[in-house]
Every structure is written in C-alpha cells, then in structure tokens.
Amino acid sequence: MHRVRRLASVAVVASLAVTALSACRSQPNVAAYLGNERVTETRVQSVWDEAQHAATTTPVTDQSTQQAVPLTMTRADVVRVLVAVPVLDRVAQQESISLPPQYNDEAAAQITGAPQTTEYARLFAHMQTVVGLILQKEPNAAPSQADLRTVYDELVAAGQAAGVDFNTFSADADTKQAVGMAAAAQTTIETTTKAIDVRVNPRYGQLGVSVLDVPQTPPQSKPLITAVFDPSTSSPTVVDQS
C-alpha cells in the first residue's frame, strides 16, 4: 500500500510538472514560440500599427489603375511572417541556399497594400523570396497521386479546372513538376518547423506558408499546398483587423 501511495504521489508531481510546462507554452502575451524564442503580442502589435498607419497616411497605388491598394493584412498574417522568416532562413541555411542582399519590397506592397517602407512589407517580401528559392531546390521531385488529387480538388473548388478531368490534369508534365516541387518544399519546411519546435497561439488558428497557389482576383491567390507551422492548432484563423 505504501508503494502504491508513493507511485500515486510521483504521478501527481509529474502531472503538475506537465501542467506547468504547458502553461509556460501558452502565455496569453505570446503569439508564437520558436523553440525558446518568442514572438510576443507586443511585437505583433508593433508591426500591425506601423502598417496600418502607413497605409492610411501614404497608401500604396496600383501601378496599372492608379487606385489605392487596400491593406489586406490580418493579425494572423503578421504572426505568419514573423514566424515564417526565421523558419525559412533556417531551411535556407540547411539547404545551402544563398539569400539575396535585398528583397522586392515594392512587389510585396502591391500584393499586401502595406507600403514598402513598413516592416510587414519587408517581411512578406523576404518570406515569398525564400519560399521561391526553396522550391527551386527540388525541380525534379515526383508528386504522389495524393498530392495531385489534393491540388486538383482545390482547383475544382475554386472553379479553376473547368473541362479538365483528373487523369488529364495528373498526366501533364508541367503540372507534375509544379506539384512535385511544392510537395517537396512542404516536407522540407515542415521538417524544419518540427525541429525548431514551433507553436502558434491557438487564437491564430493553423498558420503556414503557401508553397503552391493559384491567382484569383488580383492581388489575391488561393493556396493549394501549404507548409504548416504547428499542426496542433486547428481552429479557424483569426481575421479580426481591429
């Protein structure tokens, strides 16, 4: 009986330790963890406020229409770029990918509506550039039938595959190359994400970076394959911009 009580006591201590650790990894003032590093809500707010202010005072102008480009950024988007850049830079280092000395902030501004002087535009441009470089590392990767089916179903749902059946779609050489590259990049990024031990605050839902998408109404696009940062978060992404 004494041994049973002692084991029970040890179990209680262990459960308390696990609870304490879990609490440390879900602090309300932390948007995401990258191992021992933290992306704080204060940091998110700073990037958010700067972009909002800049978009109001000096809005981005569409180069073709000369109309103001709306700011499409959400708070989840801010968290996404703040997590993505260090993760992708780690991937680039592991894959011996040379990063450019600067990124196309102007193109990022046209896509997001955040002026190119803002940190958000710079982070977005950085993220998009490195994703592109990672994709180029696997030009001959063969996609699985499951990957092809996933992409095809997404295109059908988006109304982008009218008149094309799956057999025709999956036999196309360019399609297979694009899906294969994206699937390989997804695996590489997610493997690094797990090694870093990324955890996103559940309030932001399941975040990741798109490695294959299809254009919709400019400048928007629909993700087809996404490298997920934290599979443990599955609630809908926050879209509140207040």
Side-chain angles (χ1 to χ4, degrees):
M1 180 63 72
H2 176 72
R3 177 175 173 78
V4 171
R5 281 200 298 268
R6 182 175 180 183
L7 287 173
S9 176
V10 170
V12 169
V13 171
S15 67
L16 290 173
V18 170
T19 301
L21 286 171
S22 298
C24 289
R25 296 285 283 179
S26 59
Q27 297 178 21
N29 65 337
V30 178
Y33 297 87
L34 292 86
N36 294 325
E37 300 295 323
R38 299 178 182 181
V39 175
T40 66
E41 291 291 353
T42 300
R43 179 91 168 88
V44 174
Q45 189 67 46
S46 175
V47 174
W48 171 268
D49 288 344
E50 181 197 30
Q52 289 283 340
H53 177 73
T56 300
T57 57
T58 55
V60 178
T61 301
D62 186 292
Q63 296 173 344
S64 60
T65 67
Q66 298 305 305
Q67 300 296 314
V69 179
L71 182 64
T72 59
M73 173 190 73
T74 67
R75 289 183 183 275
D77 290 330
V78 176
V79 178
R80 177 182 290 105
V81 296
L82 287 170
V83 173
V85 166
V87 168
L88 295 172
D89 282 354
R90 176 77 70 87
V91 173
Q93 181 182 36
Q94 293 171 346
E95 298 292 318
S96 299
I97 295 173
S98 298
L99 300 181
Q102 59 186 25
Y103 302 92
N104 194 341
D105 304 340
E106 184 176 354
Q110 291 291 314
I111 294 171
T112 66
Q116 64 188 92
T117 56
T118 63
E119 185 174 12
Y120 181 74
R122 293 194 297 271
L123 289 168
F124 186 91
H126 189 144
M127 176 183 72
Q128 294 291 85
T129 299
V130 182
V131 167
L133 293 171
I134 294 170
L135 282 166
Q136 294 174 24
K137 289 290 289 185
E138 298 286 351
N140 299 313
S144 67
Q145 285 297 108
D147 291 328
L148 288 165
R149 172 58 72 176
T150 295
V151 172
Y152 178 77
D153 289 345
E154 290 287 346
L155 288 171
V156 169
Q160 300 283 336
V164 180
D165 61 29
F166 177 69
N167 289 335
T168 302
F169 172 83
S170 61
D172 182 76
D174 290 339
T175 295
K176 289 194 290 187
Q177 181 182 41
V179 176
M181 290 168 62
Q186 178 191 38
T187 298
T188 299
I189 294 168
E190 289 186 349
T191 298
T192 299
T193 298
K194 291 176 183 177
I196 295 174
D197 190 20
V198 174
R199 290 289 181 271
V200 178
N201 192 311
R203 73 166 63 97
Y204 294 108
Q206 191 177 74
L207 298 183
V209 291
S210 173
V211 291
L212 182 66
D213 48 39
V214 61
Q216 293 189 310
T217 304
Q220 303 303 313
S221 61
K222 175 181 175 58
L224 300 175
I225 297 180
T226 300
V228 177
F229 292 143
D230 181 3
S232 69
T233 56
S234 57
S235 59
T237 300
V238 168
V239 295
D240 174 35
Q241 298 188 28
S242 60

